[in-house]
Amino acid sequence: MKMNMEGSFIVVEGIDGSGTTTQRDLLCKWIKDMDREVVSTHEPTEEGIGRLIRERLVHDSHDYSPETIGLAFAADRLIHLEEKIIPSLEKGKTVVSDRYYHSSLVYQPEHGADSEWVKEINKHARKPDLTILVDVPAEVALRRQKERDGGESSIIFERSEFQKRIRDRYKNLEEVLEENIYIVDGNRSIEEVHEDVKKIVEEELL
Ligand code: ADP
Ligand code: TYD
């Protein structure tokens, strides 16, 4: 890995059920097997505002505005950075996060928040060294989610349409953010996708 004093910050993104958690875990294991210190993490976080998001904002019967939810995600992110990501990078550790500001840039505008404003409230979140998008068709991701969580209700069509739009937004993200995003074809076996992810990390960060 990069021979500087700071560790590398890698982000894995994708629609719900695309396999980001699976790929983040395999990537962390691979890095660990090279005797590198690695921190595996995700957003929303599990504590403080992250917990509030998980327990209240995205499940409550009350419909919070996309702005309220966007601000909560952004605040959770900055706390995540200050408490965990930056200190780990400063210690030379590699950090791999399942989701980061890219999620806010695709989900919150799809719920109605202004895209430029979402970008603005996330401008103090440092750029990752490498961002990988696990790209799969919405139907495939929904099927995987269904298999993972067992069963699914009647709103599957709506969810599929929503995830299709989220996928499109992810694919346009390079333009919106003006930063490099590596897209891997996630519609293959877990191992094949992992091979691609490793190749990108090797080429970009080794
Ligand atoms: P996400 O974190 O993006 O929601 P997960 O990593 O939890 O997705 O994967 C969702 C489900 O799909 C899990 O049961 C996982 O084992 C499975 N899965 C992940 N990647 C693949 C793949 N490439 N092929 C088939 N199944 C997969
Ligand atoms: P997550 O816990 O990663 O769900 P999953 O494991 O099923 O992918 O994320 C929860 C949801 O929060 C997911 O639908 C994406 C959404 N989200 C946002 O809307 N904005 C954000 O900034 C983040 C980080 C997530």
Side-chain angles (χ1 to χ4, degrees):
M1 296 264 163
K2 243 180 2 181
M3 290 302 289
N4 62 12
M5 298 303 283
E6 267 219 339
S8 298
F9 180 25
I10 304 170
V11 170
V12 185
E13 286 276 357
I15 61 174
D16 302 81
S18 57
T20 59
T21 309
T22 305
Q23 292 304 323
R24 186 229 23 215
D25 290 348
L26 287 173
L27 178 58
C28 285
K29 185 182 177 304
W30 178 64
I31 294 169
K32 215 169 166 189
D33 286 347
M34 289 190 290
D35 275 340
R36 300 274 314 191
E37 280 194 287
V38 62
V39 174
S40 174
T41 191
H42 57 263
E43 293 186 1
T45 65
E46 302 286 339
E47 285 161 41
I49 294 175
R51 180 180 293 175
L52 182 78
I53 292 170
R54 288 176 184 279
E55 289 179 358
R56 298 254 332 263
L57 300 189
V58 294
H59 293 298
D60 207 312
S61 54
H62 183 87
D63 263 342
Y64 293 97
S65 70
E67 290 78 20
T68 302
I69 294 181
L71 282 170
F73 275 117
D76 181 45
R77 181 160 302 127
L78 291 185
I79 294 169
H80 187 204
L81 270 164
E82 288 187 26
E83 286 187 347
K84 188 170 183 180
I85 299 173
I86 293 172
S88 302
L89 294 172
E90 283 175 354
K91 286 184 194 126
K93 298 178 186 177
T94 302
V95 177
V96 187
S97 184
D98 180 359
R99 300 192 180 281
Y100 193 49
Y101 58 62
H102 314 77
S103 288
S104 283
L105 260 298
V106 295
Y107 285 88
Q108 272 60 68
E110 191 54 43
H111 285 296
D114 178 68
S115 182
E116 279 305 312
W117 177 77
V118 176
K119 210 170 151 183
E120 180 71 17
I121 59 170
N122 281 283
K123 74 177 179 192
H124 295 296
R126 62 164 282 169
K127 273 192 190 189
D129 297 297
L130 185 61
T131 305
I132 296 170
L133 172 62
V134 181
D135 181 49
V136 303
E139 310 79 56
V140 174
L142 276 173
R143 196 171 60 233
R144 287 181 187 169
Q145 263 182 295
K146 199 172 160 186
E147 281 165 13
R148 180 189 62 191
D149 304 333
E152 190 45 69
S153 65
S154 55
I155 52 165
I156 218 158
F157 180 70
E158 272 172 50
R159 295 193 53 210
S160 161
E161 290 303 311
F162 178 79
Q163 293 297 335
K164 269 185 197 155
R165 293 196 297 272
I166 293 289
R167 184 191 185 199
D168 289 342
R169 283 188 184 270
Y170 265 124
K171 289 184 157 187
N172 288 328
L173 210 50
E174 271 196 321
E175 265 173 59
V176 176
L177 283 171
E178 293 161 6
E179 66 180 64
N180 219 0
I181 296 171
Y182 290 83
I183 301 181
V184 299
D185 176 6
N187 196 10
R188 293 170 300 154
S189 74
I190 290 176
E191 201 42 54
E192 282 172 314
V193 181
H194 177 51
E195 281 303 315
D196 268 16
V197 170
K198 282 198 299 193
K199 232 178 268 166
I200 293 166
V201 172
E202 254 170 353
E203 276 167 22
E204 290 307 308
L205 301 178
L206 268 176

